[in-house]
């Protein structure tokens, strides 16, 4: 079950050829997908040979296959983690029942909505990143961008498979609509706000893959707990792909910081203006990018109190992060959770029913995980002997969803006036000027092993290849 059949038009490990109707429907969707990739995928790079990994099985050692591939020829397909014998619904009102192999009728609409929302983010990020290949700081980075792009394409396949197989005509229509919505489009945008933002430069790309792909990790972890077994299995395999995306983000920011530190030390400078004169990104600008991506991403978890979240949990559709490792009753009735609310101009804690606060629970787990990586970035600063430290802004800062939407909160968590916000926002979020400066550094570096001036080389190459390996052949 774990090995993948590559002899078929659509590679898969789900015995697709045994279900002719489904196979035909997906083969009908496939050329539309490829057309979308041509139109909306990586700009000007369809003919490059890229050193990509392709899954050969869904076991942990299944990543062995690396080779140069033209992206439109990448073998996108349907790969589910192996079925677990005797798996059960592990939480909610159906806890203890056998996991569902089919969609339970009463949860059909909610499940479809969950799958469509997840699926929509996958092609969205490819669209957001489509121009970045033109300004890659190295071949190594260019290859990583393309690896992420093809895998996000495959994640779309993963969700489209579920829609086609389990949701009939509605599912097929939803699968088509995935190719028609576009990131940032006026008339037909992507579903979630963060996926309609631009990813204009490589610092934004690294921040996106660190913060926003990590949102993906937490959503997928919660869905991997689902009582609907095919969703669980598909998410479990997607998670193995997601790990690389977050690595690209974390190491990309880390290398940017490292290079800035080298220059600061070498010239004995700290003033951001002087740092910029050396053609690297000042730490203050890195902090502002961090503030932006952190705040936009935590909005993705939704409102802090949500009856939908309660329903998704109680009906066994979406669990918590690491649900099965937790030791409570996995029903949560009568349990409480502390959320923040505004009272008399101050943020104060308030206890609410846990079931309604599950978005906040997932957001808090996410924040903890995000901060761990920020601390690793701070180690780079510490090692370089630089006093500056990066930090996550307060979770009420710059929010557009939930009870802080529309409020002005400083990065250190004080409720402030509109005037104070306006006077300081350019120190807290990237200004036009910051973005223009970062954009001015973006120039394409194509020579193997060479790096743009603003970023340090990676510690090691991909798949034990040297850093100066020809990761991309431009043809
Ligand atoms: Fe993804
Ligand atoms: Fe991802």
């Amino acid at each position: 079950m774990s090995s993948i059949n590559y002899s078929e038009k659509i590679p898969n490990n789900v015995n697709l050829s045994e279900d002719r109707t489904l196979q035909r429907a997906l083969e009908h969707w496939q050329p539309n997908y490829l057309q979308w990739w041509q139109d909306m995928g990586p700009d000007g790079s369809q003919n490059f040979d890229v050193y990509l990994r392709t899954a050969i099985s869904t076991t942990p050692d299944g990543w062995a296959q690396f080779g140069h591939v033209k992206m439109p020829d990448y073998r996108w397909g349907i790969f589910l983690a192996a079925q677990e014998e005797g798996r059960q619904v592990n939480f909610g009102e159906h806890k203890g029942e056998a996991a569902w192999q089919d969609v339970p009728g009463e949860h059909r609409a909610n499940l479809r909505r969950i799958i469509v929302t997840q699926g929509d983010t996958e092609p969205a990020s490819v669209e957001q990143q489509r121009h970045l290949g033109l300004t890659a700081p190295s071949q190594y980075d260019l290859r990583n961008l393309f690896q992420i792009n093809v895998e996000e394409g495959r994640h779309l396949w993963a969700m489209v498979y579920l829609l086609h197989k389990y949701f009939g005509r509605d599912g097929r229509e939803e699968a088509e609509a995935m190719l028609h919505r576009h990131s940032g489009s006026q008339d037909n945008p992507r579903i979630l706000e963060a996926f309609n933002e631009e990813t204009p430069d490589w610092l934004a790309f690294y921040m996106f893959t660190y913060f926003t792909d990590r949102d993906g990790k937490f959503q997928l972890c919660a869905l991997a707990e689902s009582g609907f077994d095919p969703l669980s299995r598909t998410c479990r395999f997607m998670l193995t792909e997601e790990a690389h995306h977050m690595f690209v983000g974390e190491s990309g920011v880390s290398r940017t910081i490292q290079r800035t530190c080298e220059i600061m030390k070498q010239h004995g400078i700290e003033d951001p203006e002087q740092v910029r004169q050396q053609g690297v990104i000042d730490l203050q600008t890195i902090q502002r990018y961090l503030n932006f991506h952190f705040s936009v991403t935590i909005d993705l978890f939704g409102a802090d109190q949500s009856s939908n979240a309660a329903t998704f949990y109680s009906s066994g559709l979406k669990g918590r992060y690491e649900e099965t490792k937790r030791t409570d009753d996995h029903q949560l009735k009568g349990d409480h959770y502390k959320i923040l609310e505004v009272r008399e101009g101050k943020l104060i804690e308030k206890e609410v029913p846990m079931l309604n606060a599950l978005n906040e629970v997932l957001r808090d787990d996410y924040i903890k995980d995000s901060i761990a990586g920020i601390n690793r970035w701070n180690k780079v600063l510490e090692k370089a002997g630089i006093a500056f430290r990066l930090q996550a802004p307060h979770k009420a800062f710059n929010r557009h969803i939930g009870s802080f939407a529309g409020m002005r909160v400083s990065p250190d968590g004080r409720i402030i006036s509109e005037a104070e916000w306006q006077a300081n926002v350019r120190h807290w979020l990237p200004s036009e000027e910051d973005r223009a400066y970062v954009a001015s550094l973006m120039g394409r570096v194509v020579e193997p092993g060479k790096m743009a001036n603003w970023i340090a080389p990676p510690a090691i190459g991909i798949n034990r290849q040297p850093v100066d390996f020809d990761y991309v052949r431009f043809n």
Side-chain angles (χ1 to χ4, degrees):
M1 196 59 189
S2 70
S3 71
I4 292 166
N5 184 350
Y6 273 100
S7 66
E8 290 180 36
K9 219 168 157 188
I10 300 172
N12 70 89
N13 69 349
V14 293
N15 296 329
L16 189 58
S17 58
E18 284 172 15
D19 185 344
R20 290 286 175 195
T21 316
L22 175 63
Q23 188 179 35
R24 259 199 307 274
L26 284 165
E27 284 180 3
H28 183 75
W29 186 80
Q30 189 175 33
N32 300 341
Y33 169 80
L34 287 170
Q35 189 59 50
W36 167 81
W37 182 268
Q38 292 286 347
D39 296 342
M40 301 304 290
D43 200 3
S45 43
Q46 309 281 353
N47 199 38
F48 298 172
D49 292 302
V50 186
Y51 189 67
L52 296 176
R53 67 177 183 184
T54 307
I56 50 174
S57 91
T58 56
T59 55
D61 57 356
W63 281 114
Q65 185 144 317
F66 280 80
H68 283 89
V69 181
K70 287 191 183 23
M71 284 186 282
D73 300 334
Y74 186 76
R75 300 305 312 275
W76 285 288
I78 300 153
F79 315 132
L80 272 60
Q83 191 167 344
E84 242 173 63
E85 204 56 54
R87 184 167 179 267
Q88 296 184 341
V89 181
N90 294 313
F91 58 91
E93 279 156 14
H94 301 281
K95 185 174 179 293
E97 291 176 19
W100 311 307
Q101 299 307 322
D102 267 307
V103 178
E106 74 266 38
H107 303 317
R108 189 185 150 89
N110 279 335
L111 254 182
R112 192 182 69 195
R113 177 167 163 197
I114 288 172
I115 292 168
V116 168
T117 308
Q118 178 62 41
D120 191 66
T121 65
E122 314 288 356
S125 67
V126 176
E127 294 169 352
Q128 288 171 293
Q129 295 162 13
R130 67 180 306 245
H131 301 302
L132 290 171
L134 307 174
T135 57
S138 74
Q139 266 200 34
Y140 165 90
D141 289 283
L142 185 59
R143 177 264 166 212
N144 286 346
L145 167 71
F146 292 155
Q147 182 71 62
I148 291 171
N149 292 159
V150 295
E151 285 172 359
E152 300 304 6
R154 208 207 63 75
H155 292 176
L156 172 60
W157 272 92
M159 294 298 125
V160 161
Y161 164 73
L162 295 177
L163 289 170
H164 271 252
K165 179 159 168 86
Y166 297 98
F167 294 88
R169 180 210 263 259
D170 306 357
R172 290 193 294 278
E173 285 172 3
E174 293 285 10
E176 280 304 321
M178 297 276 199
L179 302 175
H180 294 148
R181 284 186 293 271
H182 293 315
S183 179
S185 156
Q186 286 296 328
D187 348 310
N188 200 5
R190 292 294 174 186
I191 296 170
L192 301 170
E193 188 177 324
F195 291 89
N196 286 301
E197 298 279 352
E198 275 181 62
T199 310
D201 59 63
W202 278 76
L203 181 58
F205 171 65
Y206 295 136
M207 291 290 181
F208 185 97
T209 45
Y210 182 77
F211 288 108
T212 311
D213 283 79
R214 185 174 311 274
D215 159 70
K217 166 186 158 181
F218 277 78
Q219 299 298 343
L220 292 176
C221 280
L223 296 177
E225 303 286 350
S226 182
F228 178 47
D229 203 40
L231 176 61
S232 166
R233 290 170 56 203
T234 213
C235 289
R236 269 182 272 152
F237 182 64
M238 288 163 78
L239 278 164
T240 68
E241 294 171 311
E242 210 58 66
H244 175 68
H245 307 181
M246 289 178 293
F247 160 79
V248 169
E250 180 168 340
S251 58
V253 173
S254 184
R255 289 161 54 210
T256 307
I257 296 169
Q258 190 189 326
R259 180 65 183 147
T260 299
C261 288
E262 277 166 22
I263 293 288
M264 289 169 74
K265 279 285 159 193
Q266 188 185 329
H267 296 273
I269 50 175
E270 280 187 4
D271 176 55
E273 270 318 307
Q274 287 182 309
V275 171
R276 285 189 179 191
Q277 275 160 24
Q278 300 301 324
V280 295
I281 305 175
D282 52 289
L283 300 170
Q284 291 77 1
T285 297
I286 295 174
Q287 176 69 61
R288 288 192 282 275
Y289 269 65
L290 186 162
N291 289 349
F292 174 77
H293 287 273
F294 180 89
S295 56
V296 166
T297 302
I298 61 175
D299 266 344
L300 287 170
F301 292 88
D304 22 11
Q305 290 193 76
S306 158
S307 56
N308 275 333
T311 305
F312 293 170
Y313 186 85
S314 298
S315 39
L317 306 181
K318 182 178 178 183
R320 287 168 296 172
Y321 177 61
E322 300 193 322
E323 180 71 45
T324 33
K325 289 191 190 161
R326 299 185 191 228
T327 52
D328 53 31
D329 71 354
H330 304 277
Q331 307 245 339
L332 312 179
K333 287 181 193 153
D335 291 353
H336 290 85
Y337 193 73
K338 282 188 184 133
I339 65 165
L340 287 179
E341 77 167 5
V342 188
R343 210 179 290 161
E344 289 160 12
K346 281 209 174 84
L347 292 170
I348 51 138
E349 283 189 330
K350 167 184 159 184
E351 285 217 331
V352 298
M354 173 85 86
L355 280 170
N356 285 314
L358 286 174
N359 285 344
E360 198 62 21
V361 172
L362 194 59
R363 182 167 19 244
D364 286 343
D365 289 333
Y366 167 88
I367 289 174
K368 230 184 278 158
D369 201 52
S370 291
I371 288 175
I374 296 174
N375 291 337
R376 287 190 290 275
W377 293 335
N378 282 332
K379 288 267 180 277
V380 178
L381 293 161
E382 196 185 316
K383 240 170 118 183
I386 304 247
F388 191 97
R389 293 290 177 270
L390 293 162
Q391 34 178 310
H394 192 276
K395 73 174 170 181
F397 170 75
N398 192 38
R399 293 288 302 281
H400 298 280
I401 286 178
S403 49
F404 309 126
M407 280 176 31
R408 295 308 193 187
V409 180
S410 63
D412 59 1
R414 285 174 303 114
I415 297 179
I416 55 172
S417 66
E418 181 64 26
E420 190 176 350
W421 173 269
Q422 290 303 339
N424 287 289
V425 63
R426 54 186 300 282
H427 301 299
W428 295 339
L429 289 170
S431 63
E432 285 303 310
E433 195 197 331
D434 291 336
R435 295 210 184 267
Y437 172 68
V438 174
S440 77
L441 300 179
M442 300 293 124
R444 192 184 208 192
V445 177
V446 292
E447 228 175 279
K450 220 184 145 212
M451 300 289 137
N453 178 59
W454 58 271
I455 190 165
I460 46 166
I462 294 296
N463 191 33
R464 298 197 197 90
Q465 298 290 359
V467 173
D468 64 358
F469 182 69
D470 59 337
Y471 289 106
V472 181
R473 297 178 186 145
F474 296 94
N475 300 314

